[in-house]
Amino acid sequence: MNHATPAQRAELSALRRGRFRRRRGTLALLAAGLLVGVLVTLALGQSYTPLSTVARVLVGVDVPGASFTVGELRLPRAVACLLAGACFGLGGVAFQTLLRNPLASPDIIGISSGASAGAVFAIVALAWSGPAVALVAVAAGLGVALLIYLLSWRDGVTGARLILIGIGLAAMLQSVTAYLLMQAPSWSLQEALRWITGSVNGVRLTQALPLSLALALLGGLLLSRRADLDALRLGDELAAGLGVRLGVTRIVVVLASVGLVAFATAVTGPIAFVAFLSGPIAARISGQSGSLLLPAALVGALLVLASDYAGQFLLPARYPVGIVTGVLGAPYLVYLIVRDNQRKGAL
Amino acid sequence: MNASSLQAEALTAGYGERRVLDNASVDIAPGQLTAIVGANACGKSTLLRVLSRLIAPASGRVLLDGSAIDGMAARKLARRIGFLPQSPMAPEGISVLELVSRGRHPHQGLFRRWSAADEAAVADALAATGLLALAERAVDELSGGQRQRVWIAMALAQQTNVLLLDEPTTFLDINHQIEVLDLLTELNHTRGTTVVMVLHELNLAARYADTLIAMAGGRVYAAGTPETVLTEATVREVFGLESRVIEDPVTGKPMMIPLGRHGGVGSATRSS
């Protein structure tokens, strides 16, 4: 049997190094884009704040006027966008990879809707606030995940059935949210919209702490499974043949992803389609080399940050971020369904 | 590399209520090339899946080099037994190099980085399958035969002593079927890899395999050399088909000629 010559080996190594460099380049570019995005949103709102003033506010100097606009309004908003976007991006791509279907994203199959309904229930019916709301959202998200799994079980779970049941549950849970919101007529339209399409209006910096903890812990847990997720893209049987423990991997990935999505939803509401869009966009720009987790997290953060900025300042009226991402995501959803229909007549 | 033996003792397995394997025992000697044949739904694919531990048997056990595989750690087992399902799907746009590199998964840990040994295994796997020139190409752009070689290259990169393949030649043109079987024979001869494959094509199975296992109704009907297994009686029992078995003039192996209802006489012969 042929062996590779040292020259051929060196050539392959060079190929691999090239891919690795390109991947690092893509990640660096996305990170740079995020940095620029954050600086723009901090400096340029209704009024312009020079970057030097922004920097002084960030290190804690009290600047009259700027401390409020930058420190109280813009900074919490930017931080929430980054963290929630990364959570949605990670949770989305992990689900899509696990089920090998871009439609199997938590925001399509009702997990975000469940978390949102849970959060609204905690706020309206239980009059809770703070971390307790996040925990109810997580519990509701997990409950929905379990429900989808049980409802779609019939000698095993197939992706198409799971997705259809998830879409049905999502619609049901959205009406639950709407019903709960109608029980609380004192709420502003803005506040209600948060729980329907997602918004970062009026978000506070104190809400960022639990979210960043969730991102660090659950995101880290997902990243530690990235090789297994990579192998799962080849199909369950091949992955198992390569030494992936399917059961454990599925449980860890589902728990971590649902947790990420639910924690983010408890702060910003279910920002439409971010989980759904981030993975495919990341795959498009970073190619197939290596894990999609990090690129998808960065894409998610960038998507939310840019959409929120557009919703505030670039469009004729002010829209919550979820409306902007919804407009971006809906055509892609239609495209996917049409394409898959043409390809194999099923999801 | 040392050859490994694989034994299945009284395996019973199924899906839900349906029993597919019924007290099946096989004994695969180290370094053998074995083909499992039988009619559809006779349990041959299930047997392969139990041998690779993709399915846990309801009763019975599988021994790899004499020790039971059911308690073995997943990665450890995956360094010793490789499994290739029937017509696997490649992720969209993945390159040949990337896909073949996935074969190194069981050799890597959470903190173990890509090593020189990994690189050498992948390079050798690509060289052995003649894919070095295609390393950068996307798998979904390749022909069916090339794609099957990519999957086999991935299994080679895994560097296992045992390789199990479920119908590695399905959907391939006859030239590519021969190419794949030649490749597996070479792997078996030069590395001593124990190869077990499910094959549809009886004559190719008899030609390439050291050992044939014929299955029927979830049981092993016959096992042994192609000469002892591929007989007119076996074909009748296993496939319910009347046939003539003659000696292949090229290889001297048994060759089955189906008779069918018309006694093998086609309309062209009859009318002349």
Side-chain angles (χ1 to χ4, degrees):
Chain A
M1 206 155 233
N2 292 335
H3 282 275
T5 64
Q8 288 167 329
R9 244 178 239 188
E11 202 174 317
L12 281 184
S13 296
L15 254 178
R16 195 183 304 280
R17 274 199 304 275
R19 277 177 179 269
F20 189 65
R21 259 201 307 276
R22 274 199 296 284
R23 176 179 159 78
R24 259 202 322 221
T26 312
L27 286 176
L29 210 64
L30 282 171
L34 269 182
L35 188 66
V36 171
V38 168
L39 290 180
V40 168
T41 56
L42 289 184
L44 201 57
Q46 296 286 54
S47 61
Y48 171 69
T49 313
L51 281 178
S52 55
T53 314
V54 169
R56 281 168 58 210
V57 173
L58 288 184
V59 296
V61 181
D62 194 28
V63 186
S67 278
F68 178 71
T69 43
V70 176
E72 299 287 315
L73 292 181
R74 296 176 188 167
L75 181 65
R77 209 177 171 107
V79 169
C81 283
L82 290 188
L83 292 175
C87 286
F88 285 128
L90 271 175
V93 79
F95 254 80
Q96 288 166 328
T97 308
L98 188 69
L99 295 165
R100 282 182 299 283
N101 193 326
L103 288 171
S105 157
D107 44 359
I108 305 284
I109 61 172
I111 287 163
S112 314
S113 316
S116 184
V120 172
F121 178 76
I123 294 169
V124 173
L126 307 175
W128 288 2
S129 62
V133 174
L135 290 181
V136 176
V138 172
L142 286 175
V144 172
L146 187 67
L147 194 61
I148 297 171
Y149 184 75
L150 292 177
L151 286 177
S152 53
W153 177 271
R154 197 189 300 151
D155 280 347
V157 171
T158 68
R161 194 161 54 221
L162 187 148
I163 289 162
L164 287 175
I165 286 173
I167 290 174
L169 276 180
M172 231 165 68
L173 290 161
Q174 278 153 21
S175 58
V176 168
T177 303
Y179 172 78
L180 286 169
L181 289 173
M182 279 162 60
Q183 303 304 301
S186 59
W187 279 21
S188 68
L189 180 63
Q190 280 289 336
E191 191 62 11
L193 268 178
R194 171 198 308 278
W195 301 110
I196 293 168
T197 77
S199 159
V200 286
N201 285 338
V203 71
R204 290 180 313 277
L205 213 46
T206 47
Q207 292 173 289
L209 186 66
L211 196 52
S212 54
L213 277 178
L215 182 61
L217 284 176
L218 300 174
L221 192 60
L222 276 184
L223 280 176
S224 75
R225 291 272 158 183
R226 65 181 182 279
D228 289 342
L229 275 170
D230 259 3
L232 271 170
R233 285 159 77 188
L234 305 177
D236 288 351
E237 285 202 326
L238 256 174
L242 288 171
V244 174
R245 288 186 296 162
L246 291 180
V248 178
T249 305
R250 278 194 198 120
I251 290 173
V252 168
V253 169
V254 166
L255 287 181
S257 314
V258 171
L260 282 168
V261 168
F263 268 106
T265 303
V267 175
T268 66
I271 302 180
F273 293 140
V274 174
F276 170 59
L277 286 173
S278 301
I281 294 176
R284 192 57 56 86
I285 57 182
S286 77
Q288 289 292 332
S289 47
S291 155
L292 285 178
L293 289 175
L294 270 183
L298 293 174
V299 166
L302 200 55
L303 200 59
V304 175
L305 193 70
S307 300
D308 184 49
Y309 193 75
Q312 284 191 89
F313 304 116
L314 305 181
L315 297 173
R318 297 193 111 186
Y319 296 105
V321 56
I323 301 238
V324 181
T325 57
V327 167
L328 292 176
Y332 180 63
L333 177 62
V334 172
Y335 159 77
L336 266 190
I337 292 174
V338 169
R339 187 196 67 174
D340 282 11
N341 245 333
Q342 284 167 347
R343 204 189 268 171
K344 45 192 158 69
L347 287 177
Chain B
M1 209 177 283
N2 298 319
S4 286
S5 72
L6 200 57
Q7 276 115 27
E9 289 176 351
L11 292 179
T12 305
Y15 307 91
E17 291 294 290
R18 207 156 50 86
R19 176 140 300 179
V20 182
L21 272 188
D22 181 14
N23 202 20
S25 297
V26 294
D27 191 345
I28 292 153
Q32 291 267 300
L33 202 152
T34 303
I36 306 175
V37 297
N40 287 330
C42 68
K44 52 191 194 299
S45 289
T46 307
L47 174 62
L48 208 65
R49 277 166 178 70
V50 176
L51 288 177
S52 62
R53 212 179 65 179
L54 285 180
I55 299 175
S59 65
R61 56 182 194 156
V62 176
L63 303 175
L64 173 64
D65 289 328
S67 47
I69 63 168
D70 52 353
M72 232 176 258
R75 274 166 200 263
K76 202 174 158 199
L77 184 65
R79 289 196 290 266
R80 299 176 66 182
I81 298 182
F83 174 76
L84 208 53
Q86 189 183 345
S87 38
M89 288 281 290
E92 232 176 295
I94 194 170
S95 74
V96 170
L97 177 62
E98 211 85 46
L99 186 61
V100 174
S101 303
R102 298 278 161 87
R104 298 304 291 168
H105 183 269
H107 297 269
Q108 307 208 285
L110 189 48
F111 300 109
R112 243 210 65 196
R113 310 212 34 185
W114 191 258
S115 70
D118 293 325
E119 196 68 275
V122 170
D124 285 345
L126 288 171
T129 48
L131 290 170
L132 274 168
L134 302 179
E136 267 189 294
R137 292 276 297 277
V139 175
D140 40 21
E141 290 169 5
L142 302 180
S143 73
Q146 288 171 328
R147 224 176 301 157
Q148 191 58 2
R149 277 193 282 147
V150 173
W151 290 110
I152 292 174
M154 190 197 84
L156 291 188
Q158 204 174 335
Q159 291 186 321
T160 56
N161 289 351
V162 179
L163 181 55
L164 309 174
L165 308 100
D166 193 1
E167 305 211 9
T169 59
T170 337
F171 305 126
L172 295 184
D173 292 336
I174 183 72
N175 51 334
H176 291 136
Q177 292 184 31
I178 300 294
E179 189 183 283
V180 163
L181 291 171
D182 281 343
L183 179 61
L184 293 173
T185 307
E186 239 174 271
L187 168 70
N188 171 256
H189 287 175
T190 57
R191 292 199 187 174
T193 307
T194 305
V195 177
V196 184
M197 55 189 170
V198 168
L199 272 188
H200 242 119
E201 175 55 49
L202 264 184
N203 288 333
L204 287 180
R207 176 172 179 155
Y208 280 93
D210 303 312
T211 307
L212 276 190
I213 295 174
M215 292 189 64
R219 293 164 176 273
V220 173
Y221 176 79
T225 61
E227 287 77 9
T228 56
V229 173
L230 185 51
T231 62
E232 288 162 11
T234 307
V235 175
R236 189 179 307 121
E237 284 303 316
V238 170
F239 291 95
L241 177 74
E242 289 303 324
S243 68
R244 184 74 33 84
V245 172
I246 62 169
E247 196 186 279
D248 179 340
V250 178
T251 61
K253 301 272 185 167
M255 187 166 94
M256 189 275 293
I257 299 164
L259 293 180
R261 274 188 295 153
H262 307 296
V265 183
S267 53
T269 334
R270 250 182 298 156
S271 62
S272 65

